[in-house]
Amino acid sequence: MQQIPKEMFQPASVDLSEAEKISKPSLSFWKDVSIRFRKNKLAMFGLVLLFILVFMAIFGPMMTPHDYRTNDLMNTNKPPSAEHWFGTDDLGRDIFARTWYGARISLFIGVAAALIDLFIGVLWGGIAAFRGGRTDEVMMRIADILWGVPYLLLVILLMVVLEQGLGTMILAMTITGWINMARIVRGQVLQLKNQEYVLAAQTLGASTSRIMFRHLIPNTMGPILVTMTLTIPSAIFTEAFLSYLGLGVPQPLASWGTMASDGVSALQYYPWRLFFPATMICLTIFAFNVVGDGLRDALDPRLRK
Amino acid sequence: MLRYIGRRLLYMLLSLFLIITATFFLMRAAPGGPFSGEKKLPPEIEKNLNEFYGLDRPWYEQYFDYLTSIAQWDFGPSFKYKGQTVNDLINSGFPVSFFLGMEALLIAVGMGVLLGIIAALNHNKWQDYAAMIFAVLGISVPSFIMASLLQYVLAIKLGVFPVARWESFMHTILPAIALATGPTAFIARLTRSSMLEVLSNDYIRTAKAKGLSRMQITVRHAIRNALLPVVSYLGPLSAGVITGSFVIEKIFGIPGLGSHFVLSISNRDYTVIMGVTVFYSIILLAAILLVDIAYGLIDPRIKLAGGKKGE
Amino acid sequence: MKKRLSLLFSLMLVLSLFLAACGGFDKKESADDTKKGEDKKADVPQELHININTEPFSLHPGLANDSTSGTVLRQTFEGLTVIKDGKPDLAAAESYEVSDDLTTYTFKLRDAKWTNGDPVTAHDFEYAWKWALDPKNQSQYAYQLYYIKNGQAFNEGKAKAEDVGVKAIDDKTLQVTLENPTPYFLELTAFYTYYPVNSKIAQQNPDWYKNAGDQYTSNGPFKMVSWEHNSKIVLEKNENYWDANNVKLTKIEMVMVNDPNTELSMFNNGELDWAGSPTGNLPTDALPQLKQEGKLHVQPIAGTYWYKFNTEKAPLNNVNIRKALTYAIDRKAIVENITKGEQVPAMAAVPPTMFPENEKGYFKDNDVEKAKEHLQKGLEELGLKDVKDLPPITLSFNTSEAHAKIAQAIQDMWKKNLGIEVKLENAEWNVYIDKLHSGDYQIGRMGWLGDFNDPINFLELYRDKKGGNNDTNWENPKYKQLLIDSQKEKDSEKRLQMLKEAEAILMDELPIAPIYFYTQTWVQKDNLKGVELSGLGDVQFKWAYFE
């Protein structure tokens, strides 16, 4: 071993104030999330897209002199032109105006249904799985029964009993909509609840709700977000199905779902009638998906660098 | 385990009974009946028909009649299709729907899981984005639009597949793809997201540290744990898919069971409604039970039978 | 783990084997290919491929009650008469005599055989009609036979089978006694409820009609050789048919595809020889293009599409309001731009196939001026100052894209022309029909397709306030009397005059707003000839052939 001369050593000047400094600025959880989210370009793009869609839903109908309901039977099924940017439908109505008018209804329904499904589904599935045993059994069997009864029959009855309107429609949509979410959350929680950190939390005396919301739910965020992004398009098209039965938005109001369902039969002849509403649905779902992914990544503490 | 399954079977019977009961009363509460049509029947004929089919008797008699005949697996005659029993309709329609459903399920699970894994392993690379775009399209284009698009492009424009009907294996491909698109996309997304979660776990890091190959890690450790949400979703999905889809059967002219679910309700064909609901529910409940059993196989840490033990 | 994987693989293997095994049904393909090739040859195969949309409810003539069953039965069975060139022509009957009071018909049957070789006798007719009328057989269309003396009474359990006015005098003579003189009786005998049934077989085997086979015997130009439920029916030429020499088609394949776009695509692909009415449907959006290409065939049929007014609900209890609403509809714009099937604007109730002058109708189409006048008058009568004060009006219809389009167009016309804002409401079919029949509506969509070729079929709907299909709560004593008297009138000219008079009353009080008269549209192979389409929308392939 080589000899180290004394000169090579220097006294370390211990500055106590320096020691107290933190190299990385202190961040609250949400601030951190927002920083990491903003670094995700794709997610930011999705967010901007969503803003544009919402903006157009609010102001789009005002950008054209045509309104969503006035017929022009002399100009039916016209392809996109300078006069009608998205063309006209089979009653000669302006598809541009209808698309953005429909955006209001479809976006609202999609988000509302997704949030309600999320709320009920997470609670139901989470409680069932966490409590386990008989509670799980009973809660999940209730879900099975709701799923087993013919949905069409349920909807017909709802239509007879309740007034046509937004509330009825959302009820019809969420009455069975949450079940998928509940099943997936239950499966995840079953897997997680016996893991060491949950046991640790339990040993430390954490309450059930704390374990649920601080430990279990955040760790099932991935599947939850994916299921939510499925709920939105399915709500948009369920609305079309309900309109078909007389429970959706009354004609001549437009929604993406009804416009697309109408447009399918014209696919071979007037493709723009399907193209515009369907594209808007795709864009919306895309935006929600990338935002959802970005959010998931940002929320996951393990991906923190 | 056997005791657990036995108890579950009992619960299944109870659920089935409740589904039958709920359906019976919903059905009878819905306006209209099997004999109401555009041209109203003379009242005497309608009365005679109601008497013959026992629709004029008190509801509890009809209800118990239904229960006893269902217990004997005899769903009675269809009100609309004279000379055919509900059992006939199920026996002729189900094999078709089952075949189509299995084909779609194979596509959905195979493709979905594969895409999901590829996307997760290449997180934020082009493969991930490509899989995402496919999944977004698959989720946001519902099966009836998908069916029309496939039919238009592949059958009418390119002439690669037959337009419709159920005659050869070639005839099954387009409807199976249309039926599988949504589930494929969804399974791909689910797999990807839970794969990402699993891949960041400590045991994966341990496995890496041990020097296991990427392939080994993926197959041995990751997939198994990542598939759980897919399995949760698979139960109801497979029950729905193998009992047929109304729109797909309509667009492709397929003589499956799916059309009876919808048509029997709009026809108010009571016996058919009950028959197909019972049939569907049994498949659904069985699928859900299988899923719960599968949980334990996939992840031994899950104890369903344990009751309070888990808490 | 390895074990589980191998299990998975073997499972997949089994499944793929299963798929492959089930894939063993591609005989059909080659048959189709040869068919395409043969088109150019001089010897054209006389095989017809059509689409019948849905599974027929029943192929028993006495039980059938839907148009799909009718289409199949019309080819396999034959009644006393058949509709040819729009008129009844003798078929199973060789000749007939009518009594002076028009209530007794005596038919002489020709020598004809069932598909199994049994002779067709008068007893078969008597058996079939009485069977359908017998209340224990649950025939929903038994009322089609109510024209026969005591038919209704027997069906309602108030008379015995012997009292029914149909009797086989001998094997070849059938005597029919009617309740009232029925000028259109020979039209009725062409209808499927009036077809005979092979009594020998039916008495032994009550299930004879449930499937194709030896037991399914019929007496028409074709016989049913296979019936795959929900999928396909195959008919072949009946060599035992008395007029077999004039039947050129050797085979008819009827598939059940219930989607208009698919149907048209199959036609374009050469898989069907006919697409559209009367057995299927064409997609509305395809009509302009088909018309442009000169492929579209159009024929008017006996049917009217109309809106019913509930004449007991304000403000529709006011005749001037009803007039205003009826006159302010631009029917021409609707048929040209929405329905697109060359339908005829209807300003009358009875279709022009029965009253040719009804093409013009009782009032002017889209007469906004007059509509406004009546609106003004109506408002005054109701003591209202402005249109805005009108009680809210709801227009109901059963769910369908076509009805929704028309309703939205009319809603827009009423708003533009009269300033009346109407709410639209659609419902599932059974829910809708329930509301309509129970009077729980204001304006409701309905259509009527004639059962037989006589105006009475349309006019008697509104004879009685509580008549099963009236729904408008409208009744007019003079109208009622005219219809009752017309039944007893033997002079057919005078009778028609009375019916016209009645229609004039209906069109003045307007419990209904007629919109258009139905047409049927279809495309067909150019070399297909001799298909007989009746004014009621029925099709007969007996004389059809490929050139």
Side-chain angles (χ1 to χ4, degrees):
Chain A
M1 214 176 242
Q2 207 188 331
Q3 277 275 332
I4 303 167
K6 227 180 182 179
E7 299 84 80
M8 285 183 85
F9 291 93
Q10 269 180 20
S13 61
V14 183
D15 186 354
L16 283 175
S17 61
E18 276 290 309
E20 288 299 301
K21 256 192 193 157
I22 297 166
S23 57
K24 219 173 170 185
S26 153
L27 289 171
S28 73
F29 177 65
W30 289 109
K31 220 167 179 180
D32 181 49
V33 167
S34 105
I35 286 173
R36 281 193 292 152
F37 185 85
R38 267 182 275 162
K39 276 195 192 141
N40 188 336
K41 286 199 190 91
L42 198 62
M44 283 311 287
F45 175 70
L47 202 61
V48 171
L49 196 60
L50 268 187
F51 273 120
I52 296 176
L53 285 167
V54 172
F55 178 85
M56 286 306 283
I58 298 168
F59 300 105
M62 300 171 197
M63 294 177 186
T64 158
H66 307 281
D67 75 355
Y68 73 95
R69 58 168 289 178
T70 306
N71 294 354
D72 180 1
L73 294 184
M74 293 301 120
N75 284 306
T76 58
N77 292 318
K78 290 277 178 286
S81 64
E83 172 71 16
H84 297 285
W85 297 335
F86 287 0
T88 63
D89 71 359
D90 48 1
L91 288 172
R93 295 174 298 199
D94 185 66
I95 294 180
F96 183 82
R98 286 181 74 72
T99 301
W100 297 119
Y101 201 88
R104 299 180 183 177
I105 290 165
S106 290
L107 285 175
F108 172 75
I109 284 170
V111 172
L115 288 179
I116 295 174
D117 287 355
L118 173 78
F119 182 72
I120 305 178
V122 167
L123 271 187
W124 198 276
I127 292 174
F130 192 72
R131 310 232 7 131
R134 181 135 315 155
T135 321
D136 176 36
E137 203 67 72
V138 171
M139 286 179 87
M140 291 325 286
R141 295 303 76 80
I142 291 174
D144 295 351
I145 292 164
L146 262 181
W147 196 262
V149 172
Y151 182 61
L152 181 57
L153 213 50
L154 267 177
V155 172
I156 289 173
L157 254 292
L158 277 182
M159 181 170 60
V160 175
V161 179
L162 301 170
E163 284 287 302
Q164 186 172 25
L166 208 60
T168 313
M169 190 163 67
I170 287 181
L171 176 68
M173 227 172 261
T174 45
I175 196 162
T176 58
W178 57 272
I179 297 176
N180 247 338
M181 178 70 83
R183 284 217 176 93
I184 285 179
V185 171
R186 170 177 175 266
Q188 288 292 98
V189 173
L190 278 177
Q191 191 180 25
L192 295 174
K193 75 172 187 187
N194 290 330
Q195 292 205 353
E196 290 79 0
Y197 63 87
V198 180
L199 290 176
Q202 268 173 334
T203 337
L204 287 172
S207 70
T208 308
S209 66
R210 190 181 156 85
I211 295 175
M212 271 281 278
F213 291 103
R214 298 291 306 199
H215 299 284
L216 294 176
I217 304 294
N219 276 301
T220 53
M221 223 44 205
I224 287 176
L225 281 171
V226 173
T227 313
M228 255 184 94
T229 50
L230 180 78
T231 315
I232 296 169
S234 89
I236 289 175
F237 283 102
T238 306
E239 184 272 321
F241 170 74
L242 294 176
S243 296
Y244 185 80
L245 289 172
L247 242 184
V249 296
Q251 279 107 355
L253 284 181
S255 73
W256 288 346
T258 46
M259 288 173 75
S261 319
D262 271 7
V264 175
S265 59
L267 171 66
Q268 299 184 31
Y269 314 98
Y270 315 113
W272 56 90
R273 274 171 49 194
L274 173 64
F275 179 78
F276 290 105
T279 307
M280 294 312 155
I281 296 172
C282 285
L283 286 178
T284 309
I285 306 314
F286 175 77
F288 275 115
N289 260 295
V290 293
V291 171
D293 271 3
L295 215 56
R296 194 202 71 88
D297 288 352
L299 284 172
D300 190 345
R302 281 169 299 193
L303 293 181
R304 201 168 161 180
K305 277 161 200 156
Chain B
M1 195 64 184
L2 269 178
R3 248 189 70 202
Y4 172 69
I5 293 176
R7 213 182 59 217
R8 278 297 296 265
L9 286 175
L10 268 178
Y11 270 113
M12 250 179 86
L13 271 180
L14 183 68
S15 304
L16 191 64
F17 167 75
L18 289 172
I19 291 174
I20 293 171
T21 309
T23 308
F24 179 84
F25 289 106
L26 283 174
M27 172 177 97
R28 301 312 295 270
F35 310 118
S36 54
E38 181 145 11
K39 299 186 176 178
K40 208 177 178 190
L41 284 179
E44 282 293 329
I45 292 187
E46 201 169 338
K47 203 175 134 236
N48 181 20
L49 284 165
N50 283 336
E51 267 169 36
F52 178 76
Y53 288 104
L55 297 178
D56 59 332
R57 288 185 300 142
W59 63 266
Y60 49 87
E61 280 184 31
Q62 297 186 43
Y63 172 64
F64 287 114
D65 271 7
Y66 266 125
L67 284 183
T68 34
S69 51
I70 285 167
Q72 293 156 356
W73 201 250
D74 170 16
F75 300 124
S78 159
F79 285 71
K80 283 282 176 185
Y81 301 106
K82 304 277 158 61
Q84 292 190 57
T85 65
V86 181
N87 294 64
D88 289 342
L89 295 179
I90 294 176
N91 292 344
S92 73
F94 181 61
V96 174
S97 295
F98 180 77
F99 181 74
L100 182 62
M102 285 314 281
E103 207 180 321
L105 217 52
L106 275 182
I107 300 175
V109 175
M111 286 286 292
V113 170
L114 193 69
L115 273 177
I117 291 172
I118 293 176
L121 291 180
N122 301 287
H123 188 37
N124 285 337
K125 297 201 190 104
W126 69 266
Q127 293 97 325
D128 190 16
Y129 296 138
M132 146 101 77
I133 287 171
F134 167 81
V136 166
L137 281 175
I139 289 175
S140 44
V141 177
S143 60
F144 68 94
I145 295 183
M146 199 62 206
S148 297
L149 278 171
L150 286 172
Q151 194 186 47
Y152 180 57
V153 176
L154 293 176
I156 299 170
K157 285 283 143 186
L158 300 176
V160 187
F161 293 99
V163 176
R165 297 206 21 86
W166 188 255
E167 309 216 313
S168 70
F169 183 67
M170 282 298 272
H171 286 82
T172 68
I173 296 175
L174 289 188
I177 296 177
L179 198 54
T181 313
T184 309
F186 186 60
I187 290 175
R189 297 292 294 158
L190 266 185
T191 311
R192 172 188 176 273
S193 108
S194 59
M195 267 298 269
L196 284 179
E197 213 126 307
V198 168
L199 284 176
S200 63
N201 266 334
D202 293 338
Y203 62 85
I204 298 286
R205 227 170 282 166
T206 316
K208 267 187 206 161
K210 268 192 343 195
L212 289 181
S213 76
R214 216 167 96 144
M215 187 68 191
Q216 269 174 314
I217 294 172
T218 315
V219 174
R220 281 210 168 175
H221 298 277
I223 293 184
R224 218 170 114 133
N225 282 301
L227 280 188
L228 206 89
V230 175
V231 172
S232 310
Y233 169 67
L234 218 52
L237 172 78
S238 51
V241 157
I242 63 176
T243 47
S245 145
F246 175 67
V247 278
I248 300 285
E249 287 177 11
K250 182 175 174 321
I251 291 172
F252 290 104
I254 295 169
L257 192 57
S259 55
H260 293 305
F261 280 100
V262 176
L263 291 181
S264 66
I265 292 174
S266 32
N267 284 336
R268 303 289 192 274
D269 198 340
Y270 293 150
T271 44
V272 184
I273 298 179
M274 287 311 277
V276 292
T277 304
V278 170
F279 187 75
Y280 168 71
S281 303
I282 290 176
I283 292 183
L284 174 79
L285 296 174
I288 290 170
L289 177 59
L290 285 179
V291 164
D292 275 352
I293 294 172
Y295 277 169
L297 296 180
I298 290 178
D299 190 337
R301 282 172 302 187
I302 295 181
K303 289 184 203 76
L304 281 161
K308 291 254 173 226
K309 227 171 104 194
E311 273 182 64
Chain C
M1 191 62 216
K2 269 203 184 107
K3 222 160 132 197
R4 209 161 283 135
L5 259 182
S6 64
L7 194 81
L8 191 75
F9 278 120
S10 50
L11 198 73
M12 279 171 72
L13 194 71
V14 169
L15 269 166
S16 55
L17 274 176
F18 172 63
L19 288 174
C22 295
F25 38 16
D26 23 22
K27 306 163 230 149
K28 267 267 109 50
E29 302 267 296
S30 54
D32 280 352
D33 289 345
T34 49
K35 206 188 96 227
K36 270 175 208 154
E38 273 166 359
D39 276 354
K40 285 172 198 120
K41 283 190 211 154
D43 191 23
V44 193
Q46 297 294 328
E47 290 183 10
L48 179 69
H49 298 79
I50 61 165
N51 177 26
I52 55 171
N53 259 348
T54 53
E55 165 87 354
F57 285 164
S58 171
L59 292 182
H60 187 308
L63 290 176
N65 64 339
D66 61 306
S67 62
T68 306
S69 306
T71 301
V72 182
L73 290 172
R74 213 167 289 115
Q75 321 310 325
T76 51
F77 280 82
E78 186 174 69
L80 294 166
T81 53
V82 65
I83 305 292
K84 194 182 182 190
D85 303 326
K87 295 230 157 42
D89 193 18
L90 290 171
E94 197 172 46
S95 65
Y96 72 96
E97 279 168 31
V98 197
S99 68
D100 286 343
D101 64 351
L102 295 176
T103 55
T104 309
Y105 282 73
T106 312
F107 295 93
K108 268 270 176 242
L109 302 190
R110 67 175 83 241
D111 287 323
K113 281 182 182 150
W114 291 96
T115 40
N116 65 349
D118 291 345
V120 178
T121 68
H123 299 284
D124 293 333
F125 279 92
E126 186 189 335
Y127 171 81
W129 296 7
K130 284 185 176 168
W131 191 93
L133 280 171
D134 192 333
K136 72 171 196 282
N137 291 322
Q138 326 302 331
S139 168
Q140 291 185 41
Y141 258 21
Y143 68 87
Q144 303 283 1
L145 298 166
Y146 281 4
Y147 302 93
I148 298 164
K149 194 167 180 63
N150 285 324
Q152 181 163 12
F154 175 45
N155 189 237
E156 292 177 357
K158 292 173 195 146
K160 291 197 198 91
E162 302 88 83
D163 306 332
V164 178
V166 52
K167 207 172 166 227
I169 307 280
D170 57 47
D171 273 359
K172 295 283 159 216
T173 317
L174 184 73
Q175 196 185 56
V176 184
T177 322
L178 302 180
E179 199 75 53
N180 289 305
T182 310
Y184 41 88
F185 186 64
L186 291 179
E187 296 254 355
L188 293 175
T189 51
F191 190 72
Y192 49 82
T193 316
Y194 286 82
Y195 287 164
V197 161
N198 188 340
S199 54
K200 263 193 209 155
I201 288 194
Q203 274 161 340
Q204 283 165 13
N205 176 11
D207 291 338
W208 66 273
Y209 61 92
K210 292 183 176 172
N211 284 295
D214 302 341
Q215 299 286 297
Y216 194 88
T217 56
S218 61
N219 69 330
F222 300 95
K223 61 179 181 203
M224 182 163 75
V225 294
S226 89
W227 181 5
E228 289 169 40
H229 293 292
N230 260 316
S231 173
K232 170 165 96 173
I233 287 175
V234 181
L235 308 182
E236 276 175 14
K237 183 177 172 175
N238 173 8
E239 295 300 341
N240 276 331
Y241 180 56
W242 63 271
D243 199 14
N245 287 340
N246 285 322
V247 179
K248 299 199 185 82
L249 291 180
T250 55
K251 192 175 165 190
I252 304 179
E253 205 177 88
M254 303 167 148
V255 299
M256 302 166 200
V257 174
N258 195 6
D259 185 88
N261 274 304
T262 306
E263 183 178 346
L264 182 59
S265 304
M266 286 174 76
F267 173 82
N268 289 335
N269 249 16
E271 291 169 44
L272 291 175
D273 300 314
W274 185 287
S277 304
T279 59
N281 286 302
L282 288 179
T284 313
D285 290 312
L287 296 179
Q289 196 187 333
L290 293 171
K291 206 186 291 179
Q292 210 180 2
E293 291 167 1
K295 287 185 189 158
L296 192 69
H297 298 252
V298 182
Q299 182 188 305
I301 52 167
T304 314
Y305 187 99
W306 52 40
Y307 278 178
K308 292 185 172 187
F309 295 120
N310 187 344
T311 57
E312 283 185 347
K313 289 241 166 110
L316 304 164
N317 50 359
N318 182 293
V319 66
N320 281 309
I321 300 289
R322 296 204 298 266
K323 280 185 176 169
L325 293 172
T326 309
Y327 297 160
I329 297 171
D330 185 354
R331 295 167 177 77
K332 190 160 166 282
I334 291 175
V335 299
E336 280 175 5
N337 303 300
I338 300 174
T339 60
K340 296 180 206 159
E342 296 185 18
Q343 287 85 350
V344 183
M347 282 76 76
V350 178
T353 50
M354 295 174 187
F355 282 155
E357 61 275 26
N358 273 0
E359 283 210 23
K360 282 172 77 187
Y362 291 82
F363 50 87
K364 219 175 99 199
D365 182 26
N366 195 22
D367 194 346
V368 181
E369 284 315 303
K370 229 171 131 195
K372 279 183 181 154
E373 280 170 35
H374 282 288
L375 176 65
Q376 212 44 51
K377 232 173 152 193
L379 288 174
E380 275 164 32
E381 280 165 8
L382 293 169
L384 303 172
K385 277 194 225 94
D386 193 77
V387 194
K388 300 248 163 7
D389 303 330
L390 269 180
I393 302 178
T394 304
L395 166 56
S396 321
F397 53 95
N398 60 300
T399 292
S400 125
E401 219 177 297
H403 302 328
K405 294 280 135 68
I406 294 170
Q408 292 177 71
I410 289 178
Q411 177 195 39
D412 197 55
M413 289 169 187
W414 284 342
K415 186 175 178 237
K416 272 185 203 152
N417 296 340
L418 303 172
I420 298 179
E421 185 78 62
V422 172
K423 209 182 127 215
L424 299 185
E425 190 182 84
N426 70 315
E428 188 248 3
W429 170 249
N430 266 291
V431 176
Y432 173 71
I433 202 85
D434 197 65
K435 278 188 163 184
L436 203 71
H437 285 333
S438 59
D440 181 17
Y441 78 103
Q442 285 182 298
I443 306 176
R445 176 220 76 93
M446 205 24 109
W448 190 261
L449 286 165
D451 290 319
F452 48 88
N453 207 10
D454 194 275
I456 189 78
N457 191 222
F458 285 78
L459 298 174
E460 71 185 356
L461 293 174
Y462 303 102
R463 198 181 75 182
D464 303 304
K465 185 174 173 178
K466 290 293 162 217
N469 288 302
N470 183 332
D471 305 328
T472 63
N473 291 318
W474 176 84
E475 197 174 57
N476 178 306
K478 207 173 154 214
Y479 180 83
K480 195 171 176 172
Q481 198 53 49
L482 276 167
L483 293 192
I484 291 170
D485 292 347
S486 79
Q487 279 299 81
K488 293 174 192 139
E489 180 58 57
K490 282 170 201 156
D491 182 340
S492 71
E493 266 312 303
K494 271 193 199 156
R495 179 173 167 271
L496 285 183
Q497 208 44 54
M498 291 161 96
L499 293 177
K500 281 241 72 159
E501 246 177 82
E503 192 189 21
I505 297 174
L506 189 72
M507 284 299 99
D508 185 52
E509 301 214 344
L510 292 171
I512 51 167
I515 313 287
Y516 64 79
F517 297 121
Y518 285 103
T519 54
Q520 49 188 15
T521 50
W522 73 93
V523 288
Q524 64 167 83
K525 284 269 171 69
D526 291 333
N527 60 341
L528 176 63
K529 305 276 148 120
V531 176
E532 175 73 24
L533 287 164
S534 83
L536 298 174
D538 297 334
V539 64
Q540 172 62 262
F541 292 115
K542 176 182 166 182
W543 302 284
Y545 62 95
F546 285 98
E547 232 172 32

